[in-house]
């Protein structure tokens, strides 16, 4: 290696290389902007949801180029305002585009704390408070699943949590695969419903199992996995010489909000010795409501669960718990490598609190803190109430959709995913011809474009199987009122009237 040359010789080291006073002053201003533009305006129903710009226009407006010299504080503050002004306001009461929405002030405070602390909960020494909080939050989530012991870790999103489940399942069956890789494993078989989240396919690709080995089990007309079809698929895959390993049941499918019948699926998994994972990324929060928990009846029989509090509970992106029934250290054995610079075994404290090796990540965001502080603020009952309020809002909207001309339900909702078509007057009364469906499929994208250009609201649409594009309305934000829901339908009617 070259000798350290004279690099930086002329830089004095006696004073800090940052202007700390100016930095604090800048932050004061940014906090004010955050409060006004990022919180107040973003949640103000009289403001627009989004300020649509074409990409080239936006590039120029934002003056994105990075230059040799830095800019002054005033310019930077203006940039902060621009970021907020030109971004989509996901906390707005008329933002319904995603499975996350809304702005919870306590959870946001938790995010500020997390960002400010800037630490990784991999060891107790560097994140004592956060490690213990994570432990508490995971234990509480497991308790709601119905497990008095177990394990878990926060992952960067439900997709990653699902992949961890697949990896741990493979490790339990084939512990040697960790060192030897996939080369001498049998061809594995994974099972998930046709309505399951696409992360199962991604995970199979990432883990070297192969997307061809994910078998999508048929669903019924409500989007639920048919247990008899699962049994048939398992038999078929076995007969072809593959080794069934893992079943992913979904509690709350992404589009329809369907809940797979967990007890029946658990019976099949028990009979064949398969790992049962429940992807409750979306629907897991129903466990918080005594009235709604029955949707996930049987979840305690699973081996692992994915649950995203960042969706229904408005905790903020991202917060995804991967929960495990096993308490024998499977997670640690599966992912742990015991890096000697981080997880020294001769530390002066209980090193079992150095939980970071349970994760395939090294540095990791402390995603438990924001959920912990929200939970402290509203209690388990408050969280459950929010889920019930989402149901109430969905039921109201359902009644309106049934009552109003031009709206047609895709199906009665089981959860809080309300799926419907808007049929403009030009198409009314022509149902059933292929031409009708072809035209109807173009309606939702056209209305969507109009609402985004107007900035009045945002809602998602998609085709599904043989069904042409329909809207999927999701209300997770308790700030949404009846007026917002009426507006939502009025606006669709107005934007779609002349199509
Ligand atoms: C959202 C979702 C996921 C993925 O979660 P991310 O945090 O977005 O990665 C997985 N499964 C289901 C059922 C989901 O709805």
């Amino acid at each position: 290696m070259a000798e350290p040359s004279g690099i930086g010789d002329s830089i004095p080291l006696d004073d800090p290389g940052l202007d700390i006073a100016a930095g604090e002053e800048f932050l004061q201003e940014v906090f004010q902007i955050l409060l006004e533009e990022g919180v107040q305006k973003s949640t103000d129903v009289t403001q627009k949801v989004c300020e649509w710009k074409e990409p080239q226009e936006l590039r120029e407006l934002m003056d994105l180029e990075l230059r040799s010299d830095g800019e002054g504080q005033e310019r930077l503050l203006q940039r902060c305002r621009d970021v907020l002004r030109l971004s989509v306001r996901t906390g707005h009461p008329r933002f319904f585009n995603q499975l996350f929405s809304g702005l919870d002030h306590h959870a946001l405070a938790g995010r500020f704390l997390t960002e400010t602390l800037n630490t990784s909960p991999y060891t107790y020494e560097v994140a004592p408070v956060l490690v213990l909080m994570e432990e508490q939050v995971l234990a509480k989530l497991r308790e709601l699943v119905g497990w008095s012991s177990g394990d878990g870790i926060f992952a960067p999103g439900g997709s990653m949590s699902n992949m961890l489940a697949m990896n741990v399942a493979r490790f339990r069956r084939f512990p040697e695969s960790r060192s030897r890789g996939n080369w001498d494993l049998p061809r594995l078989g994974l099972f998930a419903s046709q309505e399951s989240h696409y992360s199962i396919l991604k995970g199979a690709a990432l883990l070297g199992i192969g997307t061809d080995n994910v078998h999508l089990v048929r669903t019924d007309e409500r989007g639920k996995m048919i247990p008899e079809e699962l049994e048939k698929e398992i038999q078929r895959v076995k007969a072809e010489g593959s080794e069934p390993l893992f079943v992913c049941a979904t509690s709350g499918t992404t589009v329809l909000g369907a809940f797979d019948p967990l007890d029946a699926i658990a019976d099949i998994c028990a009979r064949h010795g398969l790992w049962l994972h429940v992807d409750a990324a979306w629907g897991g929060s129903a466990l918080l409501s005594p009235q709604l928990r029955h949707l996930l009846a049987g979840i305690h029989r699973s081996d692992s669960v994915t649950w995203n509090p960042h969706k229904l509970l408005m905790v903020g992106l991202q917060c995804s718990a991967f929960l495990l029934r096993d308490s024998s250290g499977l997670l640690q054995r599966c992912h742990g490598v015991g890096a000697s610079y981080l997880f020294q075994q001769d530390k002066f404290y209980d090193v079992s609190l150095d939980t970071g090796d349970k994760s395939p990540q090294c540095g990791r965001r402390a995603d438990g803190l924001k959920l912990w502080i929200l939970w402290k603020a509203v209690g388990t009952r408050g969280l459950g109430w929010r889920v019930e309020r989402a149901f109430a809002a969905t039921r109201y909207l359902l009644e309106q959709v049934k009552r109003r001309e031009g709206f047609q339900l895709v199906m009665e909702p089981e959860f809080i995913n309300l799926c419907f078509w808007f049929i403009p007057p030009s198409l009314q009364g022509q149902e059933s011809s292929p031409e009708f469906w072809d035209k109807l499929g173009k309606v939702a994208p056209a209305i969507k474009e109009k609402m985004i250009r107007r900035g009045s609201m945002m809602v998602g649409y998609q085709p599904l199987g043989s069904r042409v594009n329909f809207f999927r309305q999701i209300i997770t934000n308790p700030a949404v009122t009846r007026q917002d829901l009426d507006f939502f339908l009025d606006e669709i009617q107005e934007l779609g009237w002349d199509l």
Side-chain angles (χ1 to χ4, degrees):
M1 186 184 132
E3 291 267 306
S5 62
I7 295 170
D9 275 357
S10 63
I11 299 176
L13 299 176
D14 298 324
D15 294 314
L18 284 172
D19 187 340
I20 291 168
E24 288 178 1
E25 201 177 303
F26 178 68
L27 269 184
Q28 285 278 0
E29 301 277 348
V30 171
F31 288 147
Q32 204 51 41
I33 293 170
L34 278 175
L35 195 60
E36 286 163 15
E37 290 276 343
V39 176
Q40 289 162 352
K41 263 195 191 168
S42 287
T43 54
D44 178 352
V45 75
T46 66
Q47 297 285 327
K48 289 167 82 172
V49 175
C50 56
E51 189 65 57
W52 172 257
K53 304 281 179 213
E54 296 298 335
Q56 194 46 36
E57 187 189 2
L58 187 55
R59 272 187 205 104
E60 282 159 23
L61 257 178
M62 288 295 305
D63 178 30
L64 291 171
E65 196 185 325
L66 299 168
R67 304 191 177 83
S68 304
D69 293 313
E71 297 180 337
Q73 305 255 0
E74 272 316 307
R75 187 85 187 86
L76 291 172
L77 290 171
Q78 188 51 46
R79 291 190 177 283
C80 293
R81 280 188 208 97
D82 289 345
V83 168
L84 293 167
R85 184 172 60 85
L86 295 167
S87 292
V88 172
R89 292 171 165 153
T90 63
H92 194 284
R94 291 172 186 172
F95 174 85
F96 308 106
N97 210 62
Q98 263 30 79
L99 295 182
F100 61 87
S101 70
L103 186 150
D104 180 275
H105 301 89
H106 293 104
L108 180 59
R111 306 212 287 281
F112 288 152
L113 288 169
T114 309
E115 289 302 310
T116 309
L117 287 172
N118 187 40
T119 191
S120 170
Y122 44 28
T123 65
Y124 182 78
E125 74 180 71
V126 78
V129 173
L130 303 178
V131 163
L132 298 182
M133 262 179 191
E134 187 166 275
E135 180 183 78
Q136 174 62 33
V137 170
L138 289 170
K140 201 68 193 169
L141 294 175
R142 277 197 309 269
E143 190 184 309
L144 287 160
V145 166
W147 299 331
S148 54
S149 65
D151 207 345
I153 197 86
F154 278 97
S159 301
M160 290 305 302
S161 293
N162 286 343
M163 290 180 206
L164 297 189
M166 295 156 76
N167 200 37
V168 177
R170 179 175 57 182
F171 175 73
R172 186 178 66 175
R173 174 88 61 89
F174 305 103
E176 72 285 4
S177 69
R178 205 188 102 114
S179 53
R180 294 166 66 85
N182 282 338
W183 72 269
D184 66 346
L185 291 187
R187 182 171 182 175
L188 301 176
L190 311 180
F191 304 83
S193 88
Q194 285 172 333
E195 301 289 321
S196 64
H197 192 259
Y198 65 86
S199 52
I200 303 300
L201 288 168
K202 284 196 176 189
L206 189 71
L207 297 172
I209 293 171
T211 54
D212 287 353
N213 297 313
V214 177
H215 306 281
L216 297 180
V217 179
R218 276 187 41 215
T219 50
D220 65 15
E221 70 293 344
R222 317 258 312 141
K224 296 162 172 285
M225 185 191 284
I226 304 172
E228 296 72 27
E229 292 292 327
L230 172 64
E231 177 68 42
K232 269 194 234 161
E233 273 299 289
I234 293 170
Q235 300 289 1
R236 189 183 64 74
V237 165
K238 270 189 179 168
E240 285 176 0
S242 289
E243 184 154 338
L245 174 74
F246 171 94
V247 174
C248 172
T250 312
S251 289
T253 59
T254 312
V255 177
L256 298 174
F259 287 73
D260 289 346
L262 299 182
D263 265 319
I265 294 170
D267 288 343
I268 294 171
C269 289
R271 205 155 54 237
H272 294 277
L274 307 183
W275 183 283
L276 173 57
H277 174 66
V278 177
D279 178 1
W282 174 225
S285 298
L287 290 169
L288 287 153
S289 159
Q291 296 176 58
L292 298 167
R293 321 187 22 100
H294 66 88
L295 289 169
L296 299 100
I299 192 171
H300 62 286
R301 299 176 61 192
S302 67
D303 295 288
S304 58
V305 170
T306 290
W307 181 349
N308 279 9
H310 76 233
K311 287 181 168 169
L312 227 166
L313 300 183
M314 277 206 312
V315 177
L317 284 164
Q318 50 216 10
C319 185
S320 175
F322 173 60
L323 307 172
L324 210 65
R325 191 176 59 182
D326 173 272
S327 50
S328 76
L330 193 58
L331 197 53
Q332 171 81 31
R333 293 199 303 283
C334 177
H335 294 133
V337 176
S340 59
Y341 71 93
L342 200 54
F343 303 111
Q344 303 90 334
Q345 294 300 300
D346 52 1
K347 288 181 182 178
F348 61 93
Y349 61 84
D350 174 6
V351 293
S352 73
L353 291 170
D354 290 356
T355 51
D357 229 10
K358 293 179 184 180
S359 166
Q361 294 176 259
C362 178
R364 199 161 53 87
R365 290 250 311 221
D367 291 330
L369 163 55
K370 54 199 174 186
L371 176 54
W372 181 86
I373 206 155
L374 169 64
W375 210 315
K376 280 285 188 194
V378 302
T380 312
R381 260 193 294 185
L383 294 175
W385 180 84
R386 285 191 182 180
V387 182
E388 288 161 17
R389 193 179 195 283
F391 259 77
T394 308
R395 211 168 43 245
Y396 173 75
L397 205 64
L398 173 66
E399 282 161 23
Q400 296 303 311
V401 161
K402 284 181 175 171
R403 190 171 300 165
R404 287 194 188 214
E405 202 181 330
F407 289 86
Q408 189 178 321
L409 271 186
V410 172
M411 68 177 62
E412 289 280 331
E414 177 176 12
F415 196 43
I416 58 173
N417 306 41
L418 190 71
C419 297
F420 63 89
W421 288 283
F422 177 71
I423 305 172
S426 67
L427 289 178
Q428 281 169 24
Q430 306 177 20
E431 281 82 345
S432 78
S433 72
E435 201 195 9
F436 165 82
W437 290 107
D438 193 47
K439 283 185 179 161
L440 185 60
K442 299 193 172 79
V443 169
I447 294 178
K448 174 85 181 244
E449 177 181 347
K450 287 188 183 185
M451 72 176 74
I452 288 190
R453 289 189 186 280
R454 201 184 250 200
S456 55
M457 60 184 197
M458 286 179 73
V459 61
Y461 74 82
Q462 64 284 299
L464 188 71
S466 59
R467 298 176 177 103
V468 301
N469 282 322
F470 56 85
F471 289 112
R472 178 199 65 175
Q473 168 68 325
I474 301 281
I475 308 145
T476 55
N477 178 4
V480 173
T481 62
R482 187 193 308 259
Q483 288 76 6
D484 296 317
L485 299 176
D486 290 338
F487 173 87
F488 170 76
L489 297 176
D490 291 344
E491 185 76 354
I492 288 184
Q493 247 163 345
E494 188 186 317
L495 296 174
W497 204 248
D498 57 350
L499 292 175

